[in-house]
Amino acid sequence: DMSLAEFVPVATFGFAAMIGELNQDIRELDQDAAQASTEVRTLNRLLGNLREALSGSPELIDPTLERLIDELASLAVSYPSLADKCRDLSTRLEEFPDQLAASAARS
């Protein structure tokens, strides 16, 4: 029931919190610090790309979401203990465009 101006920051904050938790888990699980750092940078870059798309490049929202969802699928394979968290975030990202459109309709 939020306007677009309210919904986008709340949703992106939620995504950032979930990615932050995954980042911490990856650092704790991966014995290879360089690999963990690469995974964390990739997630953070993709989140940044999503924020940029939301702030001014709507045509990039869907491809950016798809890339992030693909990355989460890869992480779930690389870190099986994180599979549930990856699936949860992927589900939220998949639902996001419909929620975004509904919020825009209310604005």
PDB file of all heavy atoms in Angstrom, residues 27-67:
ATOM      1  N   ARG A  27      31.705 -14.970   3.775  1.00  0.00           N
ATOM      2  CA  ARG A  27      33.019 -14.739   4.403  1.00  0.00           C
ATOM      3  C   ARG A  27      33.324 -15.791   5.467  1.00  0.00           C
ATOM      4  O   ARG A  27      34.467 -16.200   5.625  1.00  0.00           O
ATOM      5  CB  ARG A  27      33.066 -13.347   5.012  1.00  0.00           C
ATOM      6  CG  ARG A  27      33.193 -12.241   4.003  1.00  0.00           C
ATOM      7  CD  ARG A  27      33.388 -10.893   4.700  1.00  0.00           C
ATOM      8  NE  ARG A  27      33.322  -9.817   3.764  1.00  0.00           N
ATOM      9  CZ  ARG A  27      32.285  -9.003   3.620  1.00  0.00           C
ATOM     10  NH1 ARG A  27      31.207  -9.141   4.367  1.00  0.00           N
ATOM     11  NH2 ARG A  27      32.307  -8.033   2.738  1.00  0.00           N
ATOM     12  N   GLU A  28      32.288 -16.192   6.198  1.00  0.00           N
ATOM     13  CA  GLU A  28      32.480 -17.180   7.253  1.00  0.00           C
ATOM     14  C   GLU A  28      32.659 -18.592   6.713  1.00  0.00           C
ATOM     15  O   GLU A  28      33.382 -19.398   7.297  1.00  0.00           O
ATOM     16  CB  GLU A  28      31.299 -17.144   8.225  1.00  0.00           C
ATOM     17  CG  GLU A  28      31.245 -15.881   9.061  1.00  0.00           C
ATOM     18  CD  GLU A  28      29.973 -15.757   9.878  1.00  0.00           C
ATOM     19  OE1 GLU A  28      29.140 -16.692   9.874  1.00  0.00           O
ATOM     20  OE2 GLU A  28      29.798 -14.703  10.523  1.00  0.00           O
ATOM     21  N   LEU A  29      32.004 -18.904   5.607  1.00  0.00           N
ATOM     22  CA  LEU A  29      32.027 -20.267   5.068  1.00  0.00           C
ATOM     23  C   LEU A  29      33.222 -20.564   4.172  1.00  0.00           C
ATOM     24  O   LEU A  29      33.707 -21.695   4.142  1.00  0.00           O
ATOM     25  CB  LEU A  29      30.744 -20.539   4.276  1.00  0.00           C
ATOM     26  CG  LEU A  29      29.460 -20.650   5.072  1.00  0.00           C
ATOM     27  CD1 LEU A  29      28.261 -20.690   4.128  1.00  0.00           C
ATOM     28  CD2 LEU A  29      29.485 -21.890   5.958  1.00  0.00           C
ATOM     29  N   ASP A  30      33.646 -19.586   3.411  1.00  0.00           N
ATOM     30  CA  ASP A  30      34.662 -19.836   2.392  1.00  0.00           C
ATOM     31  C   ASP A  30      36.059 -19.771   2.994  1.00  0.00           C
ATOM     32  O   ASP A  30      36.454 -18.761   3.562  1.00  0.00           O
ATOM     33  CB  ASP A  30      34.525 -18.836   1.249  1.00  0.00           C
ATOM     34  CG  ASP A  30      35.135 -19.332  -0.041  1.00  0.00           C
ATOM     35  OD1 ASP A  30      36.202 -19.984   0.017  1.00  0.00           O
ATOM     36  OD2 ASP A  30      34.543 -19.081  -1.096  1.00  0.00           O
ATOM     37  N   GLN A  31      36.806 -20.862   2.856  1.00  0.00           N
ATOM     38  CA  GLN A  31      38.188 -20.918   3.333  1.00  0.00           C
ATOM     39  C   GLN A  31      39.123 -20.067   2.475  1.00  0.00           C
ATOM     40  O   GLN A  31      40.181 -19.661   2.918  1.00  0.00           O
ATOM     41  CB  GLN A  31      38.674 -22.375   3.346  1.00  0.00           C
ATOM     42  CG  GLN A  31      37.861 -23.292   4.220  1.00  0.00           C
ATOM     43  CD  GLN A  31      37.929 -22.903   5.685  1.00  0.00           C
ATOM     44  OE1 GLN A  31      38.965 -22.456   6.171  1.00  0.00           O
ATOM     45  NE2 GLN A  31      36.820 -23.041   6.384  1.00  0.00           N
ATOM     46  N   ASP A  32      38.700 -19.812   1.249  1.00  0.00           N
ATOM     47  CA  ASP A  32      39.488 -19.022   0.310  1.00  0.00           C
ATOM     48  C   ASP A  32      39.018 -17.564   0.387  1.00  0.00           C
ATOM     49  O   ASP A  32      37.989 -17.199  -0.174  1.00  0.00           O
ATOM     50  CB  ASP A  32      39.298 -19.592  -1.095  1.00  0.00           C
ATOM     51  CG  ASP A  32      40.110 -18.869  -2.151  1.00  0.00           C
ATOM     52  OD1 ASP A  32      40.671 -17.784  -1.866  1.00  0.00           O
ATOM     53  OD2 ASP A  32      40.174 -19.372  -3.285  1.00  0.00           O
ATOM     54  N   ALA A  33      39.794 -16.742   1.100  1.00  0.00           N
ATOM     55  CA  ALA A  33      39.401 -15.346   1.313  1.00  0.00           C
ATOM     56  C   ALA A  33      39.259 -14.585   0.000  1.00  0.00           C
ATOM     57  O   ALA A  33      38.369 -13.739  -0.135  1.00  0.00           O
ATOM     58  CB  ALA A  33      40.408 -14.649   2.226  1.00  0.00           C
ATOM     59  N   ALA A  34      40.106 -14.884  -0.973  1.00  0.00           N
ATOM     60  CA  ALA A  34      40.024 -14.191  -2.266  1.00  0.00           C
ATOM     61  C   ALA A  34      38.726 -14.539  -2.981  1.00  0.00           C
ATOM     62  O   ALA A  34      38.070 -13.662  -3.562  1.00  0.00           O
ATOM     63  CB  ALA A  34      41.225 -14.542  -3.133  1.00  0.00           C
ATOM     64  N   GLN A  35      38.354 -15.813  -2.943  1.00  0.00           N
ATOM     65  CA  GLN A  35      37.098 -16.232  -3.573  1.00  0.00           C
ATOM     66  C   GLN A  35      35.904 -15.590  -2.879  1.00  0.00           C
ATOM     67  O   GLN A  35      34.984 -15.104  -3.526  1.00  0.00           O
ATOM     68  CB  GLN A  35      36.962 -17.755  -3.552  1.00  0.00           C
ATOM     69  CG  GLN A  35      35.678 -18.270  -4.181  1.00  0.00           C
ATOM     70  CD  GLN A  35      35.532 -17.919  -5.653  1.00  0.00           C
ATOM     71  OE1 GLN A  35      36.511 -17.823  -6.391  1.00  0.00           O
ATOM     72  NE2 GLN A  35      34.318 -17.702  -6.084  1.00  0.00           N
ATOM     73  N   ALA A  36      35.918 -15.590  -1.563  1.00  0.00           N
ATOM     74  CA  ALA A  36      34.831 -14.970  -0.799  1.00  0.00           C
ATOM     75  C   ALA A  36      34.725 -13.492  -1.144  1.00  0.00           C
ATOM     76  O   ALA A  36      33.624 -12.968  -1.348  1.00  0.00           O
ATOM     77  CB  ALA A  36      35.048 -15.171   0.698  1.00  0.00           C
ATOM     78  N   SER A  37      35.854 -12.831  -1.236  1.00  0.00           N
ATOM     79  CA  SER A  37      35.869 -11.403  -1.558  1.00  0.00           C
ATOM     80  C   SER A  37      35.287 -11.159  -2.949  1.00  0.00           C
ATOM     81  O   SER A  37      34.533 -10.201  -3.155  1.00  0.00           O
ATOM     82  CB  SER A  37      37.303 -10.883  -1.479  1.00  0.00           C
ATOM     83  OG  SER A  37      37.343  -9.522  -1.755  1.00  0.00           O
ATOM     84  N   THR A  38      35.600 -12.029  -3.886  1.00  0.00           N
ATOM     85  CA  THR A  38      35.050 -11.914  -5.239  1.00  0.00           C
ATOM     86  C   THR A  38      33.535 -12.071  -5.231  1.00  0.00           C
ATOM     87  O   THR A  38      32.817 -11.298  -5.874  1.00  0.00           O
ATOM     88  CB  THR A  38      35.688 -12.968  -6.173  1.00  0.00           C
ATOM     89  OG1 THR A  38      37.087 -12.708  -6.243  1.00  0.00           O
ATOM     90  CG2 THR A  38      35.080 -12.925  -7.567  1.00  0.00           C
ATOM     91  N   GLU A  39      33.045 -13.058  -4.501  1.00  0.00           N
ATOM     92  CA  GLU A  39      31.596 -13.286  -4.402  1.00  0.00           C
ATOM     93  C   GLU A  39      30.902 -12.079  -3.780  1.00  0.00           C
ATOM     94  O   GLU A  39      29.857 -11.630  -4.266  1.00  0.00           O
ATOM     95  CB  GLU A  39      31.309 -14.541  -3.577  1.00  0.00           C
ATOM     96  CG  GLU A  39      31.868 -15.817  -4.123  1.00  0.00           C
ATOM     97  CD  GLU A  39      31.166 -16.318  -5.376  1.00  0.00           C
ATOM     98  OE1 GLU A  39      30.247 -15.662  -5.876  1.00  0.00           O
ATOM     99  OE2 GLU A  39      31.564 -17.380  -5.853  1.00  0.00           O
ATOM    100  N   VAL A  40      31.476 -11.554  -2.717  1.00  0.00           N
ATOM    101  CA  VAL A  40      30.890 -10.399  -2.023  1.00  0.00           C
ATOM    102  C   VAL A  40      30.865  -9.183  -2.947  1.00  0.00           C
ATOM    103  O   VAL A  40      29.846  -8.482  -3.047  1.00  0.00           O
ATOM    104  CB  VAL A  40      31.668 -10.115  -0.716  1.00  0.00           C
ATOM    105  CG1 VAL A  40      31.326  -8.752  -0.145  1.00  0.00           C
ATOM    106  CG2 VAL A  40      31.401 -11.223   0.303  1.00  0.00           C
ATOM    107  N   ARG A  41      31.972  -8.933  -3.632  1.00  0.00           N
ATOM    108  CA  ARG A  41      32.022  -7.791  -4.566  1.00  0.00           C
ATOM    109  C   ARG A  41      30.979  -7.931  -5.668  1.00  0.00           C
ATOM    110  O   ARG A  41      30.340  -6.956  -6.060  1.00  0.00           O
ATOM    111  CB  ARG A  41      33.417  -7.648  -5.173  1.00  0.00           C
ATOM    112  CG  ARG A  41      34.391  -6.914  -4.288  1.00  0.00           C
ATOM    113  CD  ARG A  41      35.648  -6.480  -5.036  1.00  0.00           C
ATOM    114  NE  ARG A  41      36.268  -7.532  -5.821  1.00  0.00           N
ATOM    115  CZ  ARG A  41      37.152  -8.411  -5.367  1.00  0.00           C
ATOM    116  NH1 ARG A  41      37.530  -8.364  -4.106  1.00  0.00           N
ATOM    117  NH2 ARG A  41      37.685  -9.316  -6.167  1.00  0.00           N
ATOM    118  N   THR A  42      30.801  -9.151  -6.160  1.00  0.00           N
ATOM    119  CA  THR A  42      29.819  -9.381  -7.231  1.00  0.00           C
ATOM    120  C   THR A  42      28.413  -9.065  -6.731  1.00  0.00           C
ATOM    121  O   THR A  42      27.654  -8.356  -7.417  1.00  0.00           O
ATOM    122  CB  THR A  42      29.899 -10.832  -7.741  1.00  0.00           C
ATOM    123  OG1 THR A  42      31.203 -11.048  -8.294  1.00  0.00           O
ATOM    124  CG2 THR A  42      28.838 -11.109  -8.790  1.00  0.00           C
ATOM    125  N   LEU A  43      28.050  -9.572  -5.571  1.00  0.00           N
ATOM    126  CA  LEU A  43      26.713  -9.279  -5.021  1.00  0.00           C
ATOM    127  C   LEU A  43      26.528  -7.783  -4.809  1.00  0.00           C
ATOM    128  O   LEU A  43      25.475  -7.229  -5.144  1.00  0.00           O
ATOM    129  CB  LEU A  43      26.502 -10.030  -3.709  1.00  0.00           C
ATOM    130  CG  LEU A  43      26.178 -11.503  -3.812  1.00  0.00           C
ATOM    131  CD1 LEU A  43      26.120 -12.132  -2.421  1.00  0.00           C
ATOM    132  CD2 LEU A  43      24.865 -11.734  -4.544  1.00  0.00           C
ATOM    133  N   ASN A  44      27.527  -7.135  -4.243  1.00  0.00           N
ATOM    134  CA  ASN A  44      27.415  -5.697  -3.992  1.00  0.00           C
ATOM    135  C   ASN A  44      27.314  -4.900  -5.287  1.00  0.00           C
ATOM    136  O   ASN A  44      26.544  -3.936  -5.376  1.00  0.00           O
ATOM    137  CB  ASN A  44      28.589  -5.215  -3.144  1.00  0.00           C
ATOM    138  CG  ASN A  44      28.516  -5.720  -1.725  1.00  0.00           C
ATOM    139  OD1 ASN A  44      27.456  -6.087  -1.227  1.00  0.00           O
ATOM    140  ND2 ASN A  44      29.653  -5.765  -1.062  1.00  0.00           N
ATOM    141  N   ARG A  45      28.079  -5.316  -6.302  1.00  0.00           N
ATOM    142  CA  ARG A  45      28.010  -4.626  -7.597  1.00  0.00           C
ATOM    143  C   ARG A  45      26.623  -4.774  -8.214  1.00  0.00           C
ATOM    144  O   ARG A  45      26.044  -3.806  -8.724  1.00  0.00           O
ATOM    145  CB  ARG A  45      29.073  -5.186  -8.550  1.00  0.00           C
ATOM    146  CG  ARG A  45      29.037  -4.562  -9.947  1.00  0.00           C
ATOM    147  CD  ARG A  45      30.105  -5.158 -10.863  1.00  0.00           C
ATOM    148  NE  ARG A  45      30.192  -6.599 -10.834  1.00  0.00           N
ATOM    149  CZ  ARG A  45      29.382  -7.432 -11.500  1.00  0.00           C
ATOM    150  NH1 ARG A  45      28.404  -6.949 -12.241  1.00  0.00           N
ATOM    151  NH2 ARG A  45      29.547  -8.738 -11.441  1.00  0.00           N
ATOM    152  N   LEU A  46      26.079  -5.982  -8.146  1.00  0.00           N
ATOM    153  CA  LEU A  46      24.751  -6.217  -8.719  1.00  0.00           C
ATOM    154  C   LEU A  46      23.676  -5.436  -7.973  1.00  0.00           C
ATOM    155  O   LEU A  46      22.742  -4.915  -8.590  1.00  0.00           O
ATOM    156  CB  LEU A  46      24.439  -7.713  -8.737  1.00  0.00           C
ATOM    157  CG  LEU A  46      25.295  -8.526  -9.719  1.00  0.00           C
ATOM    158  CD1 LEU A  46      25.083 -10.014  -9.501  1.00  0.00           C
ATOM    159  CD2 LEU A  46      24.987  -8.135 -11.152  1.00  0.00           C
ATOM    160  N   LEU A  47      23.800  -5.338  -6.659  1.00  0.00           N
ATOM    161  CA  LEU A  47      22.854  -4.516  -5.895  1.00  0.00           C
ATOM    162  C   LEU A  47      22.985  -3.051  -6.307  1.00  0.00           C
ATOM    163  O   LEU A  47      21.977  -2.367  -6.492  1.00  0.00           O
ATOM    164  CB  LEU A  47      23.076  -4.686  -4.396  1.00  0.00           C
ATOM    165  CG  LEU A  47      22.176  -3.842  -3.507  1.00  0.00           C
ATOM    166  CD1 LEU A  47      20.704  -4.212  -3.692  1.00  0.00           C
ATOM    167  CD2 LEU A  47      22.585  -3.991  -2.047  1.00  0.00           C
ATOM    168  N   GLY A  48      24.207  -2.584  -6.475  1.00  0.00           N
ATOM    169  CA  GLY A  48      24.419  -1.214  -6.947  1.00  0.00           C
ATOM    170  C   GLY A  48      23.820  -0.990  -8.321  1.00  0.00           C
ATOM    171  O   GLY A  48      23.220   0.054  -8.593  1.00  0.00           O
ATOM    172  N   ASN A  49      23.970  -1.983  -9.196  1.00  0.00           N
ATOM    173  CA  ASN A  49      23.367  -1.891 -10.537  1.00  0.00           C
ATOM    174  C   ASN A  49      21.850  -1.780 -10.448  1.00  0.00           C
ATOM    175  O   ASN A  49      21.222  -1.020 -11.202  1.00  0.00           O
ATOM    176  CB  ASN A  49      23.742  -3.104 -11.383  1.00  0.00           C
ATOM    177  CG  ASN A  49      25.208  -3.154 -11.746  1.00  0.00           C
ATOM    178  OD1 ASN A  49      25.955  -2.199 -11.541  1.00  0.00           O
ATOM    179  ND2 ASN A  49      25.640  -4.287 -12.266  1.00  0.00           N
ATOM    180  N   LEU A  50      21.258  -2.542  -9.524  1.00  0.00           N
ATOM    181  CA  LEU A  50      19.801  -2.467  -9.348  1.00  0.00           C
ATOM    182  C   LEU A  50      19.390  -1.087  -8.866  1.00  0.00           C
ATOM    183  O   LEU A  50      18.429  -0.505  -9.374  1.00  0.00           O
ATOM    184  CB  LEU A  50      19.321  -3.560  -8.385  1.00  0.00           C
ATOM    185  CG  LEU A  50      17.821  -3.576  -8.107  1.00  0.00           C
ATOM    186  CD1 LEU A  50      17.021  -3.755  -9.395  1.00  0.00           C
ATOM    187  CD2 LEU A  50      17.484  -4.666  -7.096  1.00  0.00           C
ATOM    188  N   ARG A  51      20.118  -0.559  -7.911  1.00  0.00           N
ATOM    189  CA  ARG A  51      19.805   0.796  -7.417  1.00  0.00           C
ATOM    190  C   ARG A  51      19.891   1.829  -8.547  1.00  0.00           C
ATOM    191  O   ARG A  51      19.035   2.703  -8.657  1.00  0.00           O
ATOM    192  CB  ARG A  51      20.760   1.171  -6.286  1.00  0.00           C
ATOM    193  CG  ARG A  51      20.455   0.509  -4.990  1.00  0.00           C
ATOM    194  CD  ARG A  51      21.373   1.042  -3.908  1.00  0.00           C
ATOM    195  NE  ARG A  51      21.039   0.466  -2.632  1.00  0.00           N
ATOM    196  CZ  ARG A  51      21.912  -0.029  -1.781  1.00  0.00           C
ATOM    197  NH1 ARG A  51      23.192  -0.014  -2.060  1.00  0.00           N
ATOM    198  NH2 ARG A  51      21.517  -0.519  -0.628  1.00  0.00           N
ATOM    199  N   GLU A  52      20.934   1.710  -9.355  1.00  0.00           N
ATOM    200  CA  GLU A  52      21.084   2.637 -10.489  1.00  0.00           C
ATOM    201  C   GLU A  52      19.933   2.498 -11.472  1.00  0.00           C
ATOM    202  O   GLU A  52      19.396   3.500 -11.957  1.00  0.00           O
ATOM    203  CB  GLU A  52      22.409   2.390 -11.202  1.00  0.00           C
ATOM    204  CG  GLU A  52      23.613   2.865 -10.425  1.00  0.00           C
ATOM    205  CD  GLU A  52      24.911   2.574 -11.148  1.00  0.00           C
ATOM    206  OE1 GLU A  52      24.909   2.563 -12.399  1.00  0.00           O
ATOM    207  OE2 GLU A  52      25.920   2.366 -10.466  1.00  0.00           O
ATOM    208  N   ALA A  53      19.550   1.271 -11.775  1.00  0.00           N
ATOM    209  CA  ALA A  53      18.436   1.047 -12.704  1.00  0.00           C
ATOM    210  C   ALA A  53      17.153   1.649 -12.148  1.00  0.00           C
ATOM    211  O   ALA A  53      16.386   2.270 -12.884  1.00  0.00           O
ATOM    212  CB  ALA A  53      18.257  -0.451 -12.970  1.00  0.00           C
ATOM    213  N   LEU A  54      16.934   1.478 -10.863  1.00  0.00           N
ATOM    214  CA  LEU A  54      15.719   2.015 -10.230  1.00  0.00           C
ATOM    215  C   LEU A  54      15.709   3.536 -10.210  1.00  0.00           C
ATOM    216  O   LEU A  54      14.645   4.148 -10.233  1.00  0.00           O
ATOM    217  CB  LEU A  54      15.571   1.469  -8.814  1.00  0.00           C
ATOM    218  CG  LEU A  54      15.185   0.002  -8.727  1.00  0.00           C
ATOM    219  CD1 LEU A  54      15.385  -0.521  -7.304  1.00  0.00           C
ATOM    220  CD2 LEU A  54      13.750  -0.200  -9.184  1.00  0.00           C
ATOM    221  N   SER A  55      16.886   4.138 -10.166  1.00  0.00           N
ATOM    222  CA  SER A  55      16.930   5.595 -10.074  1.00  0.00           C
ATOM    223  C   SER A  55      16.894   6.300 -11.414  1.00  0.00           C
ATOM    224  O   SER A  55      16.760   7.515 -11.452  1.00  0.00           O
ATOM    225  CB  SER A  55      18.165   6.041  -9.284  1.00  0.00           C
ATOM    226  OG  SER A  55      19.335   5.784 -10.020  1.00  0.00           O
ATOM    227  N   GLY A  56      17.002   5.565 -12.519  1.00  0.00           N
ATOM    228  CA  GLY A  56      16.946   6.310 -13.762  1.00  0.00           C
ATOM    229  C   GLY A  56      17.029   5.507 -15.040  1.00  0.00           C
ATOM    230  O   GLY A  56      17.050   6.098 -16.115  1.00  0.00           O
ATOM    231  N   SER A  57      17.095   4.206 -14.947  1.00  0.00           N
ATOM    232  CA  SER A  57      17.179   3.394 -16.164  1.00  0.00           C
ATOM    233  C   SER A  57      16.196   2.233 -16.077  1.00  0.00           C
ATOM    234  O   SER A  57      16.596   1.072 -15.955  1.00  0.00           O
ATOM    235  CB  SER A  57      18.606   2.859 -16.340  1.00  0.00           C
ATOM    236  OG  SER A  57      19.534   3.896 -16.421  1.00  0.00           O
ATOM    237  N   PRO A  58      14.897   2.533 -16.140  1.00  0.00           N
ATOM    238  CA  PRO A  58      13.905   1.484 -15.939  1.00  0.00           C
ATOM    239  C   PRO A  58      14.037   0.308 -16.913  1.00  0.00           C
ATOM    240  O   PRO A  58      13.691  -0.815 -16.563  1.00  0.00           O
ATOM    241  CB  PRO A  58      12.560   2.187 -16.100  1.00  0.00           C
ATOM    242  CG  PRO A  58      12.843   3.567 -16.531  1.00  0.00           C
ATOM    243  CD  PRO A  58      14.305   3.823 -16.403  1.00  0.00           C
ATOM    244  N   GLU A  59      14.591   0.555 -18.090  1.00  0.00           N
ATOM    245  CA  GLU A  59      14.753  -0.535 -19.055  1.00  0.00           C
ATOM    246  C   GLU A  59      15.793  -1.562 -18.594  1.00  0.00           C
ATOM    247  O   GLU A  59      15.842  -2.681 -19.088  1.00  0.00           O
ATOM    248  CB  GLU A  59      15.129   0.010 -20.437  1.00  0.00           C
ATOM    249  CG  GLU A  59      16.513   0.605 -20.533  1.00  0.00           C
ATOM    250  CD  GLU A  59      16.680   2.029 -20.008  1.00  0.00           C
ATOM    251  OE1 GLU A  59      15.699   2.624 -19.510  1.00  0.00           O
ATOM    252  OE2 GLU A  59      17.803   2.550 -20.105  1.00  0.00           O
ATOM    253  N   LEU A  60      16.602  -1.186 -17.614  1.00  0.00           N
ATOM    254  CA  LEU A  60      17.631  -2.092 -17.094  1.00  0.00           C
ATOM    255  C   LEU A  60      17.194  -2.861 -15.844  1.00  0.00           C
ATOM    256  O   LEU A  60      17.938  -3.723 -15.378  1.00  0.00           O
ATOM    257  CB  LEU A  60      18.909  -1.312 -16.794  1.00  0.00           C
ATOM    258  CG  LEU A  60      19.581  -0.655 -17.993  1.00  0.00           C
ATOM    259  CD1 LEU A  60      20.799   0.137 -17.554  1.00  0.00           C
ATOM    260  CD2 LEU A  60      19.956  -1.692 -19.036  1.00  0.00           C
ATOM    261  N   ILE A  61      16.019  -2.557 -15.335  1.00  0.00           N
ATOM    262  CA  ILE A  61      15.579  -3.216 -14.099  1.00  0.00           C
ATOM    263  C   ILE A  61      15.461  -4.724 -14.295  1.00  0.00           C
ATOM    264  O   ILE A  61      16.047  -5.497 -13.524  1.00  0.00           O
ATOM    265  CB  ILE A  61      14.261  -2.605 -13.575  1.00  0.00           C
ATOM    266  CG1 ILE A  61      14.489  -1.157 -13.130  1.00  0.00           C
ATOM    267  CG2 ILE A  61      13.707  -3.448 -12.412  1.00  0.00           C
ATOM    268  CD1 ILE A  61      13.228  -0.399 -12.793  1.00  0.00           C
ATOM    269  N   ASP A  62      14.709  -5.158 -15.292  1.00  0.00           N
ATOM    270  CA  ASP A  62      14.509  -6.598 -15.494  1.00  0.00           C
ATOM    271  C   ASP A  62      15.816  -7.344 -15.758  1.00  0.00           C
ATOM    272  O   ASP A  62      16.080  -8.374 -15.122  1.00  0.00           O
ATOM    273  CB  ASP A  62      13.495  -6.867 -16.597  1.00  0.00           C
ATOM    274  CG  ASP A  62      12.068  -6.548 -16.166  1.00  0.00           C
ATOM    275  OD1 ASP A  62      11.802  -6.483 -14.935  1.00  0.00           O
ATOM    276  OD2 ASP A  62      11.216  -6.365 -17.047  1.00  0.00           O
ATOM    277  N   PRO A  63      16.675  -6.872 -16.680  1.00  0.00           N
ATOM    278  CA  PRO A  63      17.933  -7.598 -16.891  1.00  0.00           C
ATOM    279  C   PRO A  63      18.819  -7.622 -15.637  1.00  0.00           C
ATOM    280  O   PRO A  63      19.515  -8.603 -15.380  1.00  0.00           O
ATOM    281  CB  PRO A  63      18.626  -6.851 -18.026  1.00  0.00           C
ATOM    282  CG  PRO A  63      17.627  -5.939 -18.611  1.00  0.00           C
ATOM    283  CD  PRO A  63      16.512  -5.786 -17.638  1.00  0.00           C
ATOM    284  N   THR A  64      18.783  -6.548 -14.875  1.00  0.00           N
ATOM    285  CA  THR A  64      19.585  -6.492 -13.648  1.00  0.00           C
ATOM    286  C   THR A  64      19.055  -7.485 -12.625  1.00  0.00           C
ATOM    287  O   THR A  64      19.831  -8.193 -11.965  1.00  0.00           O
ATOM    288  CB  THR A  64      19.586  -5.058 -13.077  1.00  0.00           C
ATOM    289  OG1 THR A  64      20.087  -4.167 -14.079  1.00  0.00           O
ATOM    290  CG2 THR A  64      20.447  -4.959 -11.844  1.00  0.00           C
ATOM    291  N   LEU A  65      17.742  -7.558 -12.495  1.00  0.00           N
ATOM    292  CA  LEU A  65      17.151  -8.542 -11.586  1.00  0.00           C
ATOM    293  C   LEU A  65      17.497  -9.963 -12.022  1.00  0.00           C
ATOM    294  O   LEU A  65      17.849 -10.799 -11.186  1.00  0.00           O
ATOM    295  CB  LEU A  65      15.631  -8.371 -11.524  1.00  0.00           C
ATOM    296  CG  LEU A  65      15.112  -7.154 -10.772  1.00  0.00           C
ATOM    297  CD1 LEU A  65      13.620  -6.975 -11.014  1.00  0.00           C
ATOM    298  CD2 LEU A  65      15.422  -7.265  -9.288  1.00  0.00           C
ATOM    299  N   GLU A  66      17.417 -10.216 -13.321  1.00  0.00           N
ATOM    300  CA  GLU A  66      17.748 -11.553 -13.838  1.00  0.00           C
ATOM    301  C   GLU A  66      19.194 -11.922 -13.527  1.00  0.00           C
ATOM    302  O   GLU A  66      19.481 -13.049 -13.117  1.00  0.00           O
ATOM    303  CB  GLU A  66      17.500 -11.610 -15.350  1.00  0.00           C
ATOM    304  CG  GLU A  66      16.042 -11.605 -15.721  1.00  0.00           C
ATOM    305  CD  GLU A  66      15.807 -11.487 -17.214  1.00  0.00           C
ATOM    306  OE1 GLU A  66      16.753 -11.762 -17.997  1.00  0.00           O
ATOM    307  OE2 GLU A  66      14.696 -11.112 -17.604  1.00  0.00           O
ATOM    308  N   ARG A  67      20.094 -10.980 -13.689  1.00  0.00           N
ATOM    309  CA  ARG A  67      21.515 -11.239 -13.410  1.00  0.00           C
ATOM    310  C   ARG A  67      21.729 -11.540 -11.932  1.00  0.00           C
ATOM    311  O   ARG A  67      22.474 -12.443 -11.569  1.00  0.00           O
ATOM    312  CB  ARG A  67      22.352 -10.036 -13.860  1.00  0.00           C
ATOM    313  CG  ARG A  67      23.822 -10.158 -13.568  1.00  0.00           C
ATOM    314  CD  ARG A  67      24.468 -11.293 -14.357  1.00  0.00           C
ATOM    315  NE  ARG A  67      25.845 -11.431 -13.979  1.00  0.00           N
ATOM    316  CZ  ARG A  67      26.323 -12.315 -13.098  1.00  0.00           C
ATOM    317  NH1 ARG A  67      25.509 -13.164 -12.504  1.00  0.00           N
ATOM    318  NH2 ARG A  67      27.598 -12.362 -12.809  1.00  0.00           N
TER     319      ARG A  67
END
